[in-house]
């Protein structure tokens, strides 16, 4: 995972030297394999764990560094420029397979002027090893690399019937993908469709027919959570590997889609856009956060050393776990939804 030190530091309350950030990452097991200078920035190549998708973005990596150093994590506000229209008045969003898509959020941003990205955004995209395309596509990639949550932008004018339908593909349906692949879809694949045809392969790649171009003015922002097993099978069957599928097949934070959509809409408002009110948020079966009983005695047995109970509590809280003392040496720990690796 490429990590920009300058970008990571935007999430830290204190100005930490790059050398100390690198030392901290290595100490906590996120090994820095290489580093390079990039227009006044330092870009790190960090080895992450397959079961830690939260570290595939700068926010998650900064959370680990902040906890390791005992500094505060800084969150940025993403103000919106809104119009009077509600999202439901502009687009009809339907989810027909809640198992493969447990949560789907959408927001429309109208009046965007598609153009080359400003310098700061181009710099962030180039630091990730990508070539900037335009301000809309770059904004979606910015959200992905900032938060590890993939989003997608559709040209709303190209969505037939102004309907977004999340469903399984029908036999022999086709999709011309953004990379030029003419894909014959299989029934077990999840797609994003309009009223007549698929416009994207859910969680993997968008379609050419609904792509944002210089003529685009109105944009539908998709921010969702898809079943990781389904994404992995679809990606393999389609012989496609994308930044989105790489993250979704490892598990996405089901609580984060609304925030990712708002972040993208806020960025697009800087390019002349105005967002609809009342985001579409289809989440029929909200998931409860996992709770785990943690015993001090068991920690000592597993590690072979005595760990101070105050250190345990502080570290868990710095990593955004909720910790309640049940009795001396016993905690009830609520796991944050972005930690898909934690289970019992």
């Amino acid at each position: 995972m490429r990590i920009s030190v300058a970008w990571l530091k935007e999430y830290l309350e204190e100005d930490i030297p790059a050398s100390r950030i690198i030392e901290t990452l290595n100490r906590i097991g996120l090994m820095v394999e290489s580093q390079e200078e990039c227009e006044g920035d330092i870009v790190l190549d960090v080895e992450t764990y397959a079961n830690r998708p939260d570290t595939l973005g700068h926010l998650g990596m900064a959370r680990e560094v902040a906890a390791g150093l005992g500094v505060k994590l800084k969150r940025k506000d993403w103000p919106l420029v809104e119009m009077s229209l509600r999202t439901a008045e502009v687009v009809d969003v339907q989810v027909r397979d809640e198992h493969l898509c447990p949560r789907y959020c959408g927001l429309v941003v109208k009046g965007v002027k598609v153009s080359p990205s400003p310098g700061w955004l181009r710099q962030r995209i180039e630091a990730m090893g990508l070539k900037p395309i335009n301000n809309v596509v770059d904004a979606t990639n910015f959200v992905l690399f900032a938060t590890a949550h993939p989003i997608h932008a559709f040209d709303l004018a190209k969505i037939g019937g102004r309907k977004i339908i999340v469903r399984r593909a029908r036999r022999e349906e086709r999709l011309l993908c953004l990379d030029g692949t003419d894909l014959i879809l299989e029934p077990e694949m999840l797609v994003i469709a309009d009223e007549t045809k698929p416009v994207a392969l859910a969680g993997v790649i968008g379609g050419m027919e609904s792509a944002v171009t210089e003529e685009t003015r109105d944009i539908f922002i998709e921010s969702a959570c898809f079943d990781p097993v389904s994404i992995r099978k679809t990606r393999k069957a389609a012989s496609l590997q994308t930044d989105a599928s790489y993250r979704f097949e490892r598990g996405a934070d089901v609580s984060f889609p609304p925030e990712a959509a708002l972040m993208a809409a806020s960025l697009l408002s800087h390019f002349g856009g105005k967002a609809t009110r009342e985001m579409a948020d289809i989440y029929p079966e909200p998931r409860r956060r996992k709770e785990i009983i943690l015993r001090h005695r068991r920690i000592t047995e597993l590690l072979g050393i005595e760990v101070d109970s105050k250190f345990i509590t502080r570290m868990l809280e710095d990593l955004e776990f909720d910790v309640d003392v049940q009795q001396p040496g016993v905690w009830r720990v609520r796991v944050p939804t972005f930690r898909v690796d934690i289970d019992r």
Side-chain angles (χ1 to χ4, degrees), residues 64-326:
E64 297 293 309
V65 171
L69 292 173
V71 303
K72 295 293 184 182
L73 193 67
K74 181 166 60 177
R75 295 298 182 96
K76 187 175 180 180
D77 293 328
W78 297 98
L80 274 185
V81 178
E82 291 185 322
M83 63 180 75
S84 59
L85 285 172
R86 295 182 297 111
T87 303
E89 296 177 83
V90 182
V91 63
D92 177 20
V93 180
Q94 304 173 25
V95 175
R96 296 182 181 173
D97 196 316
E98 297 169 359
H99 172 68
L100 298 186
C101 180
R103 189 171 195 176
Y104 191 94
C105 296
L107 197 63
V108 173
V109 182
K110 297 176 72 71
V112 176
K113 183 178 179 180
V114 180
S115 60
S117 295
W120 70 267
L121 182 53
R122 292 177 62 88
Q123 186 176 23
R124 290 286 181 257
I125 298 304
E126 288 169 350
M128 296 299 98
L130 299 180
K131 182 180 178 180
I133 298 174
N134 60 52
N135 50 3
V136 175
V137 175
D138 294 347
T140 63
N141 281 327
F142 178 89
V143 173
L144 181 146
F145 289 113
T147 69
H149 195 91
I151 62 172
H152 188 69
F154 296 92
D155 184 332
L156 185 62
K158 300 174 183 176
I159 301 298
R162 298 295 173 93
K163 290 185 177 182
I164 292 288
I165 302 171
V166 185
R167 61 168 173 82
R168 293 182 190 241
R170 300 178 183 126
R171 192 172 300 278
E172 300 303 318
E173 281 188 315
R174 305 178 79 101
L175 176 69
L176 180 59
C177 302
L178 284 170
D179 68 348
T181 302
D182 187 3
L183 191 62
I184 300 175
L185 303 175
E186 300 174 8
E188 62 270 19
M189 294 178 173
L190 189 70
V191 299
I192 313 301
D194 62 15
E195 67 176 0
T196 61
K197 64 186 182 304
V199 293
L201 193 58
V204 180
I205 195 168
M208 192 73 78
E209 291 186 29
S210 60
V212 172
T213 66
E214 292 182 358
E215 287 73 41
T216 300
R217 290 295 175 266
D218 301 338
I219 292 164
F220 177 76
I221 299 170
E222 169 191 276
S223 181
C225 185
F226 301 110
D227 176 70
V229 175
S230 170
I231 297 298
R232 188 177 301 114
K233 288 181 177 179
T234 296
R235 188 262 300 168
K236 287 184 176 180
S239 298
L240 292 170
Q241 175 73 69
T242 62
D243 286 320
S245 66
Y246 185 79
R247 287 157 176 79
F248 276 130
E249 70 181 54
R250 283 160 174 75
D253 179 359
V254 74
S255 71
F256 199 75
E259 187 172 341
L262 288 173
M263 185 175 172
S266 178
L267 287 169
L268 295 184
S269 70
H270 291 289
F271 311 134
K274 290 186 178 181
T276 50
R277 296 185 297 110
E278 299 177 20
M279 177 190 308
D281 186 359
I282 300 175
Y283 191 22
E285 296 185 14
R287 296 179 181 177
R288 295 181 59 186
R289 288 173 61 179
K290 298 174 185 175
E291 291 190 352
I292 294 174
I293 299 299
L294 181 65
R295 294 175 174 83
H296 197 184
R297 173 182 57 80
R298 184 60 175 154
I299 294 172
T300 303
E301 290 175 352
L302 287 171
L303 296 181
I305 58 172
E306 183 78 22
V307 182
D308 182 71
S309 61
K310 291 182 179 179
F311 173 85
I312 294 169
T313 301
R314 179 180 65 79
M315 189 56 62
L316 287 170
E317 290 176 344
D318 285 350
L319 291 170
E320 300 185 24
F321 290 74
D322 293 334
V323 182
D324 293 322
V325 177
Q326 299 297 291

Side-chain angles (χ1 to χ4, degrees), residues 27-43:
R27 175 166 53 83
I28 62 179
L30 293 166
M31 305 304 295
V32 177
E33 297 187 326
S34 65
Q35 62 185 83
E36 62 181 271
E37 295 281 343
C38 182
E39 296 186 15
D41 191 8
I42 299 174
V43 178

